Amino acid sequence: MTKYLVEAINLKKYFPVRRFLLSKDFVKAVDGVTFKIRKGECLGVVGESGSGKTTLGRTILRLIEPTSGDVLFDGESILKFKGEKLREFRRRAQMVFQDPFSSLDPRMTIMDIILEGPRTHNMPIKDPEEFVVKLLETVGLKREHLYRYPHEFSGGQKQRIAIARALALNPEFVVLDEPTSALDVSVQASILNMLKDLQRKFGLTYMFISHDLAVVKYMSDRIATMYVGKFVEIADADKIFKEPLHPYTMILLDALPVPNPKITRARKRREIIGEPPSPIHLPPGCRFYPRCPYAMPICKAKEPELVEVERDREVACWLYQ
Amino acid sequence: MSKPREILKIRDLYVNFYTYAGIVKAINGVDLDVYEGEVLGLVGETGCGKTVTSRAITRLIPPPGRIEKGEIFFRKNGEWINLLKLDDNELRKIRGNDIAYIFQDPSSALDPLYTTGYQIAETMVVHNRADWNEAWKKAVELLRETMIPAPEERVKNFPHELSGGMKQRVVISIALSNDPKILIADEPTTNVDVTIQAELIDLLKELQRRKGTTIMLITHNMGLIAEMADRVAVMYAGNIVEIADVWTIFEEPMHPYTKGLLACVPDPLKKIERLEPIPGTIPNLIYPPPGCRFHPRCPHAMDICKKKRPPRKEIAPGHFVECWLYASEEERKEAEKE
Amino acid sequence: MEISREISFSEMGYPLLIINVFLIALLFLSIIAALETSSPNLIANCATVFFIAPTIINGLVGYFLGRKGVKRISELSIVITVLFLLVGVFLLYDAVMLAYQGIIRKPKITHFEIALTIPIILIIITYIASEFCEKKIPEIYWRTSRVLGDRIRGVLSSAGLAIIGPTGAFFGVMKMDPLFALFTILYSLVELWRTAEEIKFILGKGRLLSVLRETAERTFKAVPVIHDVKIDFMNVSGRFVVAQISSTVSKFVEEEYVEALSSFMLTELINRLAPIVYLRVVIKLEKPKALTVAVALGDGEIVSKFPSKRVIIVTFDASTREIKEEKIIELKFDEYEKVPEAKAIENLARNRVLVLATKDISEIAKNVARNWFIRVIKTEKENLKDVLEEITQRFLS
């Protein structure tokens, strides 16, 4: 067993956009992302809309085929997996999606939804009913929910079912894409707590994708900030909040409304200019250049690489190189 | 310094929705004062009734909803008028004029077939504030005030040519075009990126400071409340459970629901070991729990809570709570007798 | 000493050459089809190819003549465009006449084997040329490949339309040839109009060029290390821009940074002058006439570490060593400023400082200075006079 359960190496995903006739533009959703996740760790990925974080989540699990680059799972390249090996990967790596309302088949009972995975993988289960009940109880639901249909449950409960479904296959790695964004605060709190407990109990490794920095901080050990297809900073969760290094991370943290009027009203922030560039034809140089308060000539000419500037801390910025 | 005056008074508001499943008792006796020039935050989770309350102010409740009971007083030109008793024509003069709205999704608030300039100018012309020429010029000025770059160009754009943040600014321009006394912003930043949200917050604060507009901010985001609100009203299942100024609400919340709500919001600047979710779920408002609607989830529920709705008490100047924990002995004894 | 960087042959020259070879093939085949078949469709198609040809040719001409610095490139490109345009118009007129004849009297199409196969071959060649355009020209010149590709792809539409009429005629419906020719002719008019627009563009180049010149000068003058920017040569060839720019850069810039500097200048220009087919940037290293230095000051005239409260900026005449200008700047920052040293260096750059002298400097400030091409020297000297003396010794002797 390797130390790093998941490794992404210069992962890229470009989506072709047809112009007219033969001409194509490419939306560079993920444009060269490299990182490693240790076993048992939770890596948070934060970014705004258009950052490519959702595409990254799906590409890591090979739900979308990457355009180039590689993903290593437990030391092996998942791009080479076929047949049995691929099935095994799908069992060991699962995903929980954002929208609980559409990720559960409305025509299947909870029992069927949760058993679908194990059945497809021919997992031997002695007593299917007991198996599912145990899972439901793990996520805080009850035996009586077994034969009901998704529409009979609330948003929070549906998300629990989705998580139970992911757990049914006994995975090692779970990608969580905005799992609580559609939920109320109090429901969100209980789902997050549950996810944390499950992680501890089953030794799970998480990739937690969200636009909500506060939630990401609560869940993650390390956090990566993503901007228009690339990671701009990866650091320990506490450190990145106390001392953000990349100007984009600084802006994100400045913009974050904090539920504490004393702090949030005392702080002054710099005016944020501009909007993210189009991910189709990015100008050369650093992609954050037009909005960066510290832009220097070199930032326009050459794109900074993501390099380690301190122990366990990577930043892609010419301020530090 | 003069004492702030009220500009809006909601008294004893009851709103029901007559659905096939049953009668949803959405608003269950809401009393609220809004002071001139303040930012009042109306906060609560899904189904608490904050949106319905805000729409009830100008009777924007479509069937099967019905305003059953109550009065909403608005001070127009020094006189108090009851908005719920006005006839439709009179009310239409106030809506979009004295009281304006901003909603969550700017895309649905803007007509895709007309330019932004046209839409801003239209509000002014319809309310007889200006003719088309002046309105058009004013539209450019309004866009400039919302810090949209190159407003002379933007006026000619169609909504789909603008980004989400810009669209929301256009919506704000439309809302402010007639210099409303009250601006009701319903989840204005929910669909928008954090950086754009920050810009919009700064913008609203700036505009409010300059024009002295009263803002009613409706949201479930406690961070937004902390940033913008002067006073906060917390709603649960159709009732207002606590009202206080923003500092007090965060530092000394009194109602168990408010406390519960604050305990489950992750504060990114603190090291939180564990969030404390509120046990239970939001009640079904077709068969709401008797007495205090929060009692099934309240860690301090007493017998009286299950029987009678608690009275509103002012436990400190400007700090109101509706909870039996803060009622006096006599009040409790009175209630138990009945 | 001089360093120059240009858009290389392999990046641009070679692709342009190959695309023009494809163009020649398209022209050749279209002409044969037009001559042999007497079909108004094929003749109109030939006209289209003549209309799009100048854009492609001007690209090639622009590259090779731009390299040589030939003055009259735009005039040449107009001549080329007008010539091809005239031939195309003549062909189009012919096509219209034939179509008219064919409709009211008898269609005259012959050599079906040519009429039906050449359009297909044209489509294949255009497809290959289009892919070549999109894939072989580096991403950074995407605007150029977009212009080239869009015009070449016009032949796809034209050939596609041109084959319909003859096919109908082949199967016995003779009138289809002249009837469908109306569409092919209409499309050809579209391409005619586009080419006419190009002529308009070339004629109006003055305004565009002056805007580009100004932008280029402004961008480079902002970097203190670049003393002087001269646009040796900026012109258009058809839709494309060609330029040669030389700049004088202070000799104090360290060798490795000249590389970075040239890279910066090149990418800046490519981004702003697009669509571009040729660009050359020459950097001449020279001793500057004047040297502007900044010294970090603490209280009084004591040299301190950077960032400091104040900074004194002194400008020396390089030959006489006379002090021409002296000013003191307070370094103040907004309270929300998280990286004050970056802002401080930016301030120095705006004041055209080339050298910064200080007792000690943070890692970040060092990086930022380097990225603004400002040299930093650590000095042991305590007071201002000594430091200035040290600097003069080091840089002006």
Side-chain angles (χ1 to χ4, degrees):
Chain A
M1 282 284 194
T2 45
K3 181 169 151 211
Y4 295 108
L5 187 58
V6 179
E7 252 188 85
I9 301 172
N10 203 19
L11 197 57
K12 290 190 189 171
K13 178 65 195 171
Y14 293 177
F15 291 105
V17 171
R18 213 145 263 289
R19 281 174 73 234
F20 47 80
L21 290 181
L22 292 170
S23 180
K24 275 198 288 243
D25 270 333
F26 286 96
V27 173
K28 304 191 173 106
V30 178
D31 197 12
V33 170
T34 305
F35 62 85
K36 300 189 182 78
I37 311 183
R38 290 183 204 104
K39 256 173 79 68
E41 178 183 34
C42 176
L43 176 71
V45 178
V46 180
E48 298 176 296
S49 51
S51 58
K53 54 193 197 299
T54 298
T55 311
L56 179 65
R58 284 162 208 240
T59 314
I60 281 272
L61 290 182
R62 214 176 141 190
L63 292 174
I64 302 179
E65 288 292 329
T67 306
S68 73
D70 206 356
V71 178
L72 300 181
F73 183 74
D74 210 2
E76 294 176 279
S77 160
I78 69 171
L79 299 181
K80 299 206 180 71
F81 287 174
K82 276 199 275 265
E84 186 52 48
K85 255 317 201 151
L86 186 57
R87 258 200 298 277
E88 191 197 329
F89 172 64
R90 295 248 177 272
R91 197 184 45 75
R92 293 168 77 188
Q94 283 286 309
M95 183 153 188
V96 175
F97 298 91
Q98 169 173 5
D99 186 4
F101 301 94
S102 52
S103 67
L104 301 176
D105 188 333
R107 291 178 300 168
M108 291 166 73
T109 58
I110 305 308
M111 172 86 169
D112 289 326
I113 288 175
I114 294 185
L115 279 181
E116 189 180 16
R119 279 187 191 140
T120 319
H121 285 264
N122 294 322
M123 253 175 78
I125 305 176
K126 267 200 231 116
D127 189 344
E129 230 187 64
E130 281 313 305
F131 175 77
V132 178
V133 167
K134 255 192 99 187
L135 272 173
L136 287 181
E137 284 171 354
T138 314
V139 298
L141 292 171
K142 304 200 191 90
R143 179 182 292 269
E144 62 209 45
H145 297 138
L146 257 184
Y147 292 105
R148 298 224 196 127
Y149 288 87
H151 70 262
E152 301 180 52
F153 294 92
S154 71
Q157 289 171 316
K158 279 198 245 213
Q159 207 58 314
R160 287 171 197 269
I161 295 166
I163 294 170
R165 175 178 59 183
L167 290 176
L169 290 166
N170 209 359
E172 294 160 55
F173 176 53
V174 186
V175 174
L176 300 139
D177 188 358
E178 307 264 20
T180 56
S181 299
L183 307 172
D184 274 323
V185 210
S186 50
V187 180
Q188 174 175 268
S190 58
I191 301 271
L192 291 179
N193 284 343
M194 180 186 77
L195 286 170
K196 269 197 161 181
D197 291 336
L198 291 170
Q199 186 185 21
R200 226 170 296 147
K201 186 164 169 202
F202 295 110
L204 300 171
T205 306
Y206 283 161
M207 187 163 144
F208 193 95
I209 300 171
S210 177
H211 66 278
D212 188 337
L213 278 150
V215 166
V216 173
K217 187 190 181 216
Y218 180 62
M219 292 295 297
S220 318
D221 301 303
R222 278 190 312 143
I223 295 181
T225 18
M226 194 164 178
Y227 187 72
V228 193
K230 273 188 125 105
F231 277 5
V232 293
E233 187 167 2
I234 310 180
D236 178 67
D238 285 319
K239 264 222 196 127
I240 211 176
F241 271 77
K242 280 209 206 93
E243 201 201 325
L245 289 183
H246 194 281
Y248 178 60
T249 317
M250 289 180 195
I251 287 186
L252 274 185
L253 290 174
D254 256 354
L256 186 64
V258 170
N260 185 336
K262 269 220 201 88
I263 295 179
T264 207
R265 290 179 148 186
R267 81 178 163 189
K268 290 206 207 300
R269 57 170 162 245
R270 167 180 270 126
E271 203 183 306
I272 303 163
I273 33 168
E275 273 156 23
S278 146
I280 296 180
H281 285 293
L282 288 156
C286 174
R287 49 199 70 195
F288 192 59
Y289 176 83
R291 307 173 80 189
C292 185
Y294 308 112
M296 308 176 274
I298 196 166
C299 304
K300 265 205 214 176
K302 283 211 293 190
E303 188 161 27
E305 298 280 315
L306 192 65
V307 291
E308 191 162 340
V309 294
E310 315 170 348
R311 216 178 85 80
D312 247 0
R313 190 121 196 228
E314 294 167 66
V315 193
C317 181
W318 289 116
L319 285 173
Y320 309 101
Q321 290 172 44
Chain B
M1 207 175 78
S2 59
K3 187 161 170 264
R5 305 182 296 173
E6 297 102 330
I7 193 168
L8 189 75
K9 290 201 265 210
I10 303 177
R11 293 279 177 271
D12 215 28
L13 183 66
Y14 283 82
V15 178
N16 286 345
F17 284 81
Y18 294 85
T19 68
Y20 287 108
I23 307 175
V24 180
K25 292 128 192 120
I27 307 290
N28 189 39
V30 158
D31 284 293
L32 185 62
D33 285 344
V34 183
Y35 291 93
E36 192 166 18
E38 72 168 351
V39 178
L40 175 70
L42 196 50
V43 83
E45 298 179 285
T46 326
C48 67
K50 52 194 194 297
T51 298
V52 177
T53 308
S54 70
R55 301 221 185 171
I57 293 174
T58 57
R59 301 212 312 247
L60 278 174
I61 312 272
R66 199 165 79 191
I67 302 178
E68 296 291 337
K69 201 176 138 185
E71 288 155 322
I72 299 185
F73 296 106
F74 172 58
R75 185 160 51 80
K76 186 178 165 94
N77 300 329
E79 304 255 320
W80 284 103
I81 47 177
N82 186 348
L83 295 175
L84 297 182
K85 293 266 190 317
L86 282 184
D87 70 59
D88 282 336
N89 279 317
E90 291 297 314
L91 188 60
R92 229 171 279 133
K93 289 200 200 139
I94 293 193
R95 217 190 277 136
N97 199 4
D98 300 274
I99 300 180
Y101 287 83
I102 304 174
F103 297 108
Q104 181 169 340
D105 184 9
S107 303
S108 45
L110 295 172
D111 190 327
L113 299 176
Y114 293 92
T115 60
T116 58
Y118 180 92
Q119 295 187 53
I120 300 174
E122 188 186 25
T123 16
M124 290 185 258
V125 171
V126 158
H127 283 282
N128 293 320
R129 287 265 185 149
D131 62 44
W132 278 105
N133 267 317
E134 293 162 24
W136 199 265
K137 282 195 212 116
K138 191 153 180 238
V140 177
E141 279 320 301
L142 281 167
L143 282 183
R144 200 188 305 276
E145 275 180 24
T146 55
M147 273 135 24
I148 288 189
E152 316 78 21
E153 299 298 314
R154 295 287 90 78
V155 195
K156 302 184 212 150
N157 283 134
F158 286 89
H160 68 264
E161 296 176 304
L162 302 174
S163 68
M166 293 239 231
K167 278 196 272 222
Q168 199 63 307
R169 285 173 205 263
V170 172
V171 168
I172 293 174
S173 303
I174 295 178
L176 292 175
S177 57
N178 287 325
D179 285 317
K181 292 276 174 322
I182 303 182
L183 179 66
I184 302 182
D186 192 346
E187 303 278 15
T189 59
T190 301
N191 278 344
V192 141
D193 281 326
V194 137
T195 43
I196 312 270
Q197 179 178 274
E199 285 177 49
L200 290 174
I201 292 176
D202 287 341
L203 176 64
L204 284 172
K205 280 206 244 187
E206 173 63 29
L207 291 173
Q208 196 241 351
R209 194 185 57 85
R210 231 189 304 141
K211 298 192 180 202
T213 320
T214 310
I215 298 182
M216 223 169 126
L217 178 64
I218 297 158
T219 180
H220 62 275
N221 184 338
M222 293 309 278
L224 191 59
I225 292 283
E227 278 240 26
M228 280 203 71
D230 298 314
R231 280 194 320 138
V232 184
V234 182
M235 280 191 80
Y236 181 79
N239 287 125
I240 294 188
V241 297
E242 188 163 4
I243 305 178
D245 66 80
V246 67
W247 316 92
T248 314
I249 281 276
F250 280 92
E251 277 163 47
E252 291 165 24
M254 289 294 169
H255 194 282
Y257 176 63
T258 317
K259 289 195 207 173
L261 198 59
L262 289 169
C264 63
V265 173
D267 182 342
L269 297 181
K270 285 213 282 265
K271 179 117 187 101
I272 315 169
E273 279 313 316
R274 207 158 168 82
L275 294 171
E276 306 273 344
I278 307 173
T281 47
I282 297 172
N284 179 336
L285 292 182
I286 297 177
Y287 307 106
C292 170
R293 287 182 170 186
F294 186 60
H295 84 252
R297 307 173 75 185
C298 186
H300 308 286
M302 308 178 280
D303 269 339
I304 183 69
C305 305
K306 302 181 191 160
K307 296 205 206 107
K308 276 212 88 192
R309 192 181 143 194
R312 176 178 288 193
K313 302 290 292 173
E314 187 169 5
I315 52 177
H319 190 169
F320 300 88
V321 197
E322 282 187 21
C323 179
W324 283 113
L325 286 172
Y326 304 101
S328 62
E329 274 300 315
E330 304 92 63
E331 280 169 317
R332 263 183 251 158
K333 288 215 184 85
E334 272 294 318
E336 265 158 29
K337 272 194 227 141
E338 292 171 20
Chain C
M1 199 181 98
E2 226 180 70
I3 297 179
S4 86
R5 292 267 301 258
E6 60 168 19
I7 296 182
S8 68
F9 177 72
S10 60
E11 281 180 301
M12 188 66 83
Y14 173 73
L16 282 170
L17 210 51
I18 300 293
I19 293 173
N20 273 273
V21 166
F22 283 127
L23 178 69
I24 293 176
L26 291 173
L27 279 166
F28 180 66
L29 289 168
S30 304
I31 292 173
I32 292 188
L35 290 175
E36 291 291 309
T37 66
S38 309
S39 154
N41 277 291
L42 272 318
I43 296 178
N45 173 66
C46 190
T48 305
V49 181
F50 269 87
F51 291 145
I52 64 133
T55 310
I56 320 292
I57 297 175
N58 283 327
L60 189 66
V61 165
Y63 178 79
F64 283 103
L65 294 189
R67 252 178 139 188
K68 295 248 177 353
V70 171
K71 292 263 187 265
R72 298 211 164 268
I73 295 187
S74 67
E75 282 83 346
L76 180 60
S77 65
I78 289 195
V79 167
I80 294 175
T81 313
V82 167
L83 275 174
F84 275 82
L85 192 73
L86 287 176
V87 175
V89 167
F90 171 73
L91 284 166
L92 202 56
Y93 174 75
D94 197 33
V96 169
M97 287 294 117
L98 268 175
Y100 176 67
Q101 298 271 352
I103 292 176
I104 57 173
R105 259 170 268 166
K106 192 175 166 240
K108 277 206 303 192
I109 180 168
T110 58
H111 290 281
F112 279 105
E113 69 282 6
I114 295 185
L116 295 176
T117 50
I118 287 198
I120 298 182
I121 302 178
L122 289 178
I123 290 177
I124 294 175
I125 296 180
T126 310
Y127 174 77
I128 298 175
S130 167
E131 289 293 287
F132 191 82
C133 230
E134 303 241 305
K135 305 235 161 77
K136 288 292 180 202
I137 296 182
E139 167 73 21
I140 195 175
Y141 311 113
W142 68 272
R143 291 184 189 87
T144 307
S145 72
R146 197 37 69 80
V147 170
L148 289 168
D150 281 352
R151 289 240 79 187
I152 282 205
R153 284 183 280 270
V155 179
L156 274 176
S157 312
S158 178
L161 286 169
I163 201 174
I164 301 177
T167 311
F170 180 67
F171 284 111
V173 189
M174 294 298 275
K175 289 276 183 190
M176 262 183 86
D177 185 42
L179 277 171
F180 263 88
L182 295 175
F183 292 107
T184 320
I185 291 172
L186 266 171
Y187 183 77
S188 196
L189 284 170
V190 169
E191 292 293 350
L192 163 60
W193 184 76
R194 284 195 183 135
T195 309
E197 287 281 301
E198 238 177 71
I199 297 182
K200 210 168 106 178
F201 172 81
I202 305 172
L203 290 174
K205 69 171 186 176
R207 200 165 49 100
L208 172 70
L209 288 179
S210 65
V211 168
L212 293 179
R213 265 168 214 268
E214 199 216 299
T215 320
E217 283 171 3
R218 207 178 354 114
T219 318
F220 296 144
K221 295 237 170 105
V223 182
V225 128
I226 302 177
H227 305 158
D228 198 23
V229 176
K230 200 163 62 92
I231 313 254
D232 296 327
F233 174 88
M234 199 185 273
N235 212 334
V236 299
S237 171
R239 281 287 280 119
F240 304 107
V241 176
V242 300
Q244 278 196 49
I245 297 181
S246 47
S247 64
T248 8
V249 160
S250 154
K251 204 153 195 236
F252 306 130
V253 175
E254 288 153 332
E255 298 272 322
E256 47 198 85
Y257 303 142
V258 180
E259 163 70 37
L261 194 59
S262 64
S263 192
F264 160 67
M265 292 177 73
L266 205 67
T267 36
E268 261 308 277
L269 289 169
I270 291 172
N271 220 24
R272 287 173 197 274
L273 302 183
I276 196 164
V277 284
Y278 182 72
L279 174 64
R280 184 146 175 256
V281 157
V282 177
I283 298 181
K284 298 187 207 137
L285 290 168
E286 255 179 32
K287 258 196 175 172
K289 294 209 188 62
L291 177 64
T292 307
V293 309
V295 183
L297 291 181
D299 298 308
E301 301 229 313
I302 304 178
V303 180
S304 81
K305 57 185 170 124
F306 190 85
S308 55
K309 274 188 266 164
R310 295 144 65 228
V311 147
I312 184 171
I313 298 184
V314 182
T315 308
F316 289 98
D317 183 295
S319 26
T320 66
R321 303 201 191 178
E322 225 184 284
I323 294 185
K324 287 183 25 192
E325 204 190 317
E326 223 179 275
K327 62 180 168 191
I328 295 196
I329 298 189
E330 307 274 333
L331 293 176
K332 276 203 288 259
F333 307 102
D334 295 306
E335 38 188 274
Y336 53 69
E337 185 50 74
K338 292 199 177 59
V339 193
E341 50 260 81
K343 283 300 184 186
I345 301 267
E346 203 186 315
N347 199 339
L348 296 184
R350 260 185 277 127
N351 281 285
R352 310 201 62 80
V353 168
L354 292 172
V355 180
L356 168 66
T358 172
K359 236 193 170 53
D360 195 10
I361 189 165
S362 69
E363 201 53 43
I364 292 184
K366 227 197 309 184
N367 287 333
V368 180
R370 186 192 328 121
N371 291 326
W372 276 103
F373 308 111
I374 295 176
R375 283 197 78 157
V376 175
I377 53 167
K378 278 210 212 157
T379 176
E380 296 294 314
K381 306 277 193 270
E382 296 278 315
N383 67 41
L384 184 58
K385 224 166 83 87
D386 293 337
V387 176
L388 292 178
E389 183 57 43
E390 183 179 343
I391 292 179
T392 352
Q393 283 279 356
R394 212 157 137 176
F395 289 97
L396 292 179
S397 50

